[in-house]
Amino acid sequence: MLLSSESRPATPRAADPLVAFAEIRALVLPVQRHYVNQLAPPVANIAGYHAGWLDEFGENLADPAGKALRPVLAVLAARAVGAPETTAVRAAVVAEMIHDFSLLHDDVIDGDRQRRHRPAAWVVFGTHAAILAGDALLAAAVRLTAETDRSADRRAVRRLLATVRELVRGQTLDVTFENRESVTPDEYSDMAQGKTAALLSCACSLGPLLAGAPDAVTGELAAFGFQLGMAFQFADDLLGLWGDPAATGKPVLADVHRRKKSAPVLAALNSGGTDARRLAELYERPGALSDDEATEAADLIERCGGKEWAEARAARHTASALTHLHRVEGEAEPLEELAALVRHITHRDR
Amino acid sequence: MLLSSESRPATPRAADPLVAFAEIRALVLPVQRHYVNQLAPPVANIAGYHAGWLDEFGENLADPAGKALRPVLAVLAARAVGAPETTAVRAAVVAEMIHDFSLLHDDVIDGDRQRRHRPAAWVVFGTHAAILAGDALLAAAVRLTAETDRSADRRAVRRLLATVRELVRGQTLDVTFENRESVTPDEYSDMAQGKTAALLSCACSLGPLLAGAPDAVTGELAAFGFQLGMAFQFADDLLGLWGDPAATGKPVLADVHRRKKSAPVLAALNSGGTDARRLAELYERPGALSDDEATEAADLIERCGGKEWAEARAARHTASALTHLHRVEGEAEPLEELAALVRHITHRDR
């Protein structure tokens, strides 16, 4: 496709991960749709709505939503070990299907009514539909992983199932935390390992496993994905509190108004002292917070060291991710793109 | 263990499938518990409660519930092809885990509050717990199937995932039928194929697949399980209407009072004529049925040919099951026990 150089200045790919995102998304999406369409008809429609390419009536949407972080990671990690493109795409589809399975069930469990800026699947199609579509996607993802007759598949299947176990563990902790008076930052990290980091790690190792890459290389890419997942979680928590509303599209201090006990909040609440007690008071009090109270809460979180702590954790995991990435001996271009992706994720504004 | 011959008369095993049931259950249960206990703690407790060996506080029950039909089929089918006992037990645990996954989700979806004569898991532990425990069991079952490094595993994994696909399809149809004005007996059969027959077929083929039995033998055992599953469903529907309350433990005409549209009811409703219209009237009318009306409905179902039709279907599937079973060239004793099991299931009174 020809692009006008006036309207779209050419940028080196590694410098702009959004270009890689768009390219990989265009590569993966048709294959993902192909496999989702093989599910039984109502399930395929529900999964297609949830994934973002269908509307609630089963009609195609012009501009499918979603930033496809896991497919991008999967494709770049597979390319980094020189895997064939078909293997890279297969890994990407599997990772995204597992992500979608997990989100479909989590939204039912958490009662979250919004997903990807639209009503959640269970709101549109019912709880039963979201549970069954999740089940079908989980089974389809494992089936796709076990599709060929190469022995490498078996290790990828085991990795995938260990990841599902972690996702369930993380979501179970998350639900448990809702009913507990206090949660330590370490417990929160443990939950994030299961809910977020495990799948990013899996996305980075599926391609290498399927391609039969050396264990040492696969291990470094898995560790890279894990650390990136943790950095992603802390960066996300910081954006929920101090993100620019113009960039995030969410109201100012959205997570304070929702009283979401994200990492900076938990660190602040666990810091002890007068400020922490006042913060706990604001978070436990029934009824909505005024804008002044929300601002006060955000200031308290910062004064209690919550922001600094979360920033330090994000930085530590980012550095660790890059350390593991630099140890990977593989293809230069995809490795550079992965490094650019780290910077994009940890310095993003939305 | 010594048994007193006075208190427990010795019976030839093949003549009494309940002896085989008890023996196999005792063999499989400890292994099943071992694998379920490897799940994350709250999930293990929920799965153990649902499976019937734990109470709601996580304490052991003296007398675990459940008749373990799928484990019994799996063990006998594996023994029929001369599979090692460990393979037979593995197949049984996998089949029962998949059954439990499916029941945990189905009870949430259908809002069924009772399971195995106790409150359903979601009633005791919450919807989130039942969904997550189901997810964990599904993943654990596939993991257990893919555990060894023999190439036979891969075929068993694919079979298992195809079965999950069928379970989802069957449950989706079942939910859809609830909101439809009329369902044909053929559509009902299609649903039963997915919800019931697919898993019994899978239970009968897992052991042979894992043991690398010849395709022809595995195919006959799979077909046997499928036909047995269909016979089981029709026999179950007949018991729900004309079963002896003393034997079933359910009230007289339980399925009529619940207005459950099981196979005989659908056949009757689709028969046309005055009796069918009167039956439809009773089934669509809001409010509870009186005992006289329930008796009238049962008579109408019989007069419209619903009972005869369902009995004919049960007999046809039973005969087909036995035909496939007799084609299996394998170990005599387990094959005899499978034949005895067919008679037990299709002539059972509860």
Side-chain angles (χ1 to χ4, degrees):
Chain A
M1 192 168 74
L2 283 171
L3 294 174
S4 150
S5 58
E6 272 105 340
S7 61
R8 295 209 199 176
T11 43
R13 272 173 60 179
D16 187 357
L18 293 179
V19 176
F21 268 55
E23 177 234 317
I24 293 173
R25 201 178 151 70
L27 189 71
V28 171
L29 195 62
V31 182
Q32 187 187 349
R33 291 188 66 154
H34 169 77
Y35 283 104
V36 168
N37 285 339
Q38 289 182 355
L39 304 176
V43 171
N45 279 358
I46 296 151
Y49 170 85
H50 169 80
W53 60 71
L54 295 181
D55 68 15
E56 64 268 45
F57 308 108
E59 301 295 326
N60 285 316
L61 287 173
D63 189 19
K67 59 180 178 291
L69 174 58
R70 288 148 200 86
V72 170
L73 279 175
V75 166
L76 292 178
R79 286 179 180 167
V81 302
E85 270 308 82
T86 52
T87 303
V89 171
R90 188 147 66 108
V93 171
V94 168
E96 194 67 353
M97 279 180 162
I98 290 291
H99 185 48
D100 283 348
F101 138 73
S102 167
L103 293 181
L104 278 162
H105 284 189
D106 285 359
D107 284 347
V108 170
I109 289 168
D110 299 333
D112 282 339
R113 304 183 64 86
Q114 287 273 321
R115 170 64 58 192
R116 294 167 177 162
H117 309 290
R118 297 194 299 165
W122 69 269
V123 174
V124 180
F125 302 101
T127 299
H128 67 276
I131 295 176
L132 289 168
D135 292 347
L137 281 171
L138 170 52
V142 187
R143 195 165 55 228
L144 181 55
T145 311
E147 203 168 59
T148 72
D149 271 314
R150 301 185 60 249
S151 68
D153 287 359
R154 195 182 290 108
R155 296 183 64 196
V157 166
R158 286 191 206 139
R159 184 74 167 82
L160 196 62
L161 297 166
T163 303
V164 173
R165 190 190 154 98
E166 275 298 286
L167 286 167
V168 169
R169 192 181 69 83
Q171 176 66 5
T172 302
L173 286 175
D174 202 13
V175 173
T176 315
F177 291 171
E178 297 274 315
N179 304 315
R180 275 174 47 180
E181 235 170 68
S182 75
V183 173
T184 67
D186 279 352
E187 289 174 320
Y188 181 85
S189 283
D190 190 31
M191 185 270 288
Q193 288 179 20
K195 262 193 98 155
T196 307
L199 184 51
L200 266 58
S201 176
C202 180
C204 289
S205 41
L206 278 178
L209 282 171
L210 288 168
D215 283 358
V217 174
T218 305
E220 293 297 352
L221 281 164
F224 159 73
F226 184 86
Q227 295 297 334
L228 180 64
M230 294 304 287
F232 179 82
Q233 184 64 61
F234 285 104
D236 214 49
D237 286 359
L238 287 161
L239 281 177
L241 288 165
W242 293 284
D244 175 6
T248 61
K250 293 177 185 171
V252 188
L253 297 174
D255 281 359
V256 177
H257 284 289
R258 293 168 58 203
R259 260 90 148 207
K260 188 175 167 191
K261 289 189 182 168
S262 59
V265 180
L266 291 173
L269 288 170
N270 280 274
S271 66
T274 325
D275 285 346
R277 279 196 296 280
R278 170 65 184 152
L279 180 64
E281 206 178 287
L282 288 170
Y283 264 65
E284 303 309 333
R285 221 192 52 197
L289 294 177
S290 70
D291 286 345
D292 280 351
E293 287 169 329
T295 308
E296 185 196 348
D299 289 344
L300 288 166
I301 297 166
E302 199 164 348
R303 280 218 299 280
C304 290
K307 186 179 186 186
E308 198 181 354
W309 180 83
E311 283 172 345
R313 288 296 293 259
R316 202 180 85 193
H317 289 298
T318 302
S320 176
L322 290 171
T323 301
H324 288 292
L325 188 65
H326 291 144
R327 286 196 199 132
V328 176
E329 290 179 19
E331 305 291 326
E333 198 183 342
L335 288 172
E336 275 164 34
E337 287 177 332
L338 283 171
L341 187 61
V342 174
R343 288 188 293 273
H344 175 70
I345 282 178
T346 52
H347 291 95
R348 73 205 151 106
D349 55 9
R350 61 196 177 93
Chain B
M1 193 168 70
L2 284 171
L3 294 175
S4 149
S5 59
E6 272 105 341
S7 62
R8 297 210 197 177
T11 44
R13 272 174 59 179
D16 186 357
L18 293 179
V19 178
F21 267 53
E23 177 234 318
I24 292 173
R25 201 179 151 71
L27 189 71
V28 171
L29 195 62
V31 182
Q32 187 187 348
R33 291 188 67 154
H34 168 77
Y35 282 104
V36 168
N37 285 338
Q38 289 182 358
L39 305 175
V43 171
N45 279 357
I46 296 151
Y49 170 87
H50 170 79
W53 59 73
L54 295 181
D55 68 14
E56 64 270 43
F57 309 108
E59 301 295 327
N60 284 317
L61 287 173
D63 191 18
K67 57 181 179 293
L69 172 60
R70 287 147 201 86
V72 170
L73 279 175
V75 166
L76 292 178
R79 284 178 181 166
V81 301
E85 271 306 85
T86 50
T87 302
V89 172
R90 189 148 66 108
V93 171
V94 167
E96 193 67 354
M97 279 180 162
I98 289 291
H99 185 48
D100 283 348
F101 138 73
S102 167
L103 294 181
L104 278 162
H105 284 190
D106 286 359
D107 285 348
V108 170
I109 288 168
D110 299 333
D112 282 342
R113 304 184 64 86
Q114 288 275 320
R115 171 62 60 189
R116 294 167 176 161
H117 307 291
R118 298 193 299 165
W122 70 269
V123 174
V124 179
F125 302 100
T127 299
H128 67 277
I131 296 175
L132 289 168
D135 293 346
L137 282 170
L138 170 52
V142 186
R143 195 165 54 228
L144 181 54
T145 312
E147 204 167 59
T148 71
D149 271 315
R150 301 185 59 251
S151 68
D153 287 0
R154 196 181 289 108
R155 296 183 65 194
V157 166
R158 287 190 204 140
R159 185 74 169 80
L160 196 62
L161 297 168
T163 304
V164 173
R165 189 191 154 98
E166 275 299 287
L167 287 167
V168 169
R169 192 181 68 85
Q171 175 66 4
T172 302
L173 286 175
D174 202 12
V175 172
T176 314
F177 291 171
E178 296 275 316
N179 304 316
R180 276 175 44 180
E181 234 171 67
S182 74
V183 173
T184 67
D186 279 350
E187 288 174 322
Y188 181 85
S189 283
D190 189 30
M191 185 271 289
Q193 289 178 20
K195 261 195 99 156
T196 307
L199 184 51
L200 266 59
S201 177
C202 180
C204 290
S205 41
L206 277 178
L209 281 172
L210 288 169
D215 283 358
V217 175
T218 305
E220 293 297 352
L221 282 164
F224 158 73
F226 184 86
Q227 296 296 335
L228 181 64
M230 293 304 287
F232 179 83
Q233 184 63 61
F234 286 105
D236 214 50
D237 285 358
L238 287 161
L239 281 176
L241 288 166
W242 294 284
D244 175 6
T248 61
K250 292 178 186 172
V252 188
L253 297 175
D255 281 359
V256 177
H257 284 290
R258 294 168 59 205
R259 260 88 150 211
K260 188 177 167 188
K261 288 188 181 170
S262 59
V265 181
L266 291 174
L269 288 171
N270 280 274
S271 66
T274 325
D275 285 347
R277 278 195 297 279
R278 170 67 183 150
L279 180 64
E281 204 179 288
L282 288 169
Y283 263 65
E284 303 309 333
R285 218 191 52 196
L289 293 177
S290 70
D291 285 346
D292 281 351
E293 286 169 328
T295 307
E296 185 197 347
D299 290 344
L300 288 166
I301 297 166
E302 199 163 350
R303 279 218 300 279
C304 291
K307 187 179 186 187
E308 198 180 353
W309 180 83
E311 283 172 345
R313 289 296 294 256
R316 203 179 85 192
H317 288 297
T318 302
S320 176
L322 290 171
T323 301
H324 287 292
L325 189 65
H326 292 145
R327 286 194 201 135
V328 177
E329 291 179 18
E331 305 290 325
E333 198 183 342
L335 288 172
E336 278 165 32
E337 288 177 331
L338 284 171
L341 187 61
V342 174
R343 288 188 292 273
H344 174 71
I345 282 178
T346 52
H347 292 95
R348 72 206 153 103
D349 54 9
R350 64 195 172 93

